[in-house]
Amino acid sequence: MGSSLRRPPRLVAGDLVVLLSPASPPRATAGLPAAVNSLRRLGLRVLLGANAQKQYGYLAGRELERAADLAQAFLTPAVKGIICTRGGYGCSRLLDQISVARLARHPKVFVGFSDITLLHLAMQKA
């Protein structure tokens, strides 16, 4: 198999993390402030993606909006980590909207589950 897992630098106090919703939005807005507070207690600076709370059907915005959030977070040097607010259907639609190889050249801590795994795998393959 020849390829090795690229590991970004670990997060440290003072690092900036972005909360994104590449698939579905968070179910209850009450959980999001708690997540932000928890991350801040760890010493991280937290930014909410532009469309993280948007509702477009069962998705957190249109494909172009969610893809733009993801690309902006990966391509912004000050951002050290990306945390997805929720999994859910919709990530496969982003693959046509982003350059996975370009994002993969900017390794960051990238946390997510469910359909977010598709993005993890696409970047690893790239």
Side-chain angles (χ1 to χ4, degrees), residues 39-84:
L39 292 167
R40 286 184 175 148
R41 279 194 302 274
L42 293 172
L44 299 170
R45 294 179 299 131
V46 182
L47 180 65
L48 197 57
N51 297 290
Q53 297 180 83
K54 194 168 202 169
Q55 184 81 38
Y56 181 73
Y58 54 86
L59 298 170
R62 298 177 191 272
E63 279 77 29
L64 289 176
E65 293 168 323
R66 293 180 287 120
D69 279 355
L70 190 63
Q72 182 177 6
F74 267 99
L75 299 176
T76 300
V79 174
K80 303 302 179 190
I82 300 166
I83 301 172
C84 300

Side-chain angles (χ1 to χ4, degrees), residues 20-26 52 54 58-60 66 85-90 116:
L20 296 181
S21 301
S24 300
K54 194 168 202 169
Y58 54 86
L59 298 170
R66 293 180 287 120
T85 63
R86 186 174 171 205
Y89 177 77
I116 307 299

Side-chain angles (χ1 to χ4, degrees), residues 7-40:
R7 294 181 191 267
R10 67 175 33 174
L11 296 174
V12 297
D15 280 348
L16 176 63
V17 296
V18 177
L19 294 176
L20 296 181
S21 301
S24 300
R27 285 185 191 214
T29 56
L32 202 51
V36 170
N37 288 336
S38 293
L39 292 167
R40 286 184 175 148

Side-chain angles (χ1 to χ4, degrees), residues 19-20 28 45 52 64 74-75 87 96 100 102-103 106 108 112 123:
L19 294 176
L20 296 181
R45 294 179 299 131
L64 289 176
F74 267 99
L75 299 176
D96 290 337
V100 176
R102 183 174 181 217
L103 300 187
H106 301 273
K108 299 177 187 284
M123 283 188 255

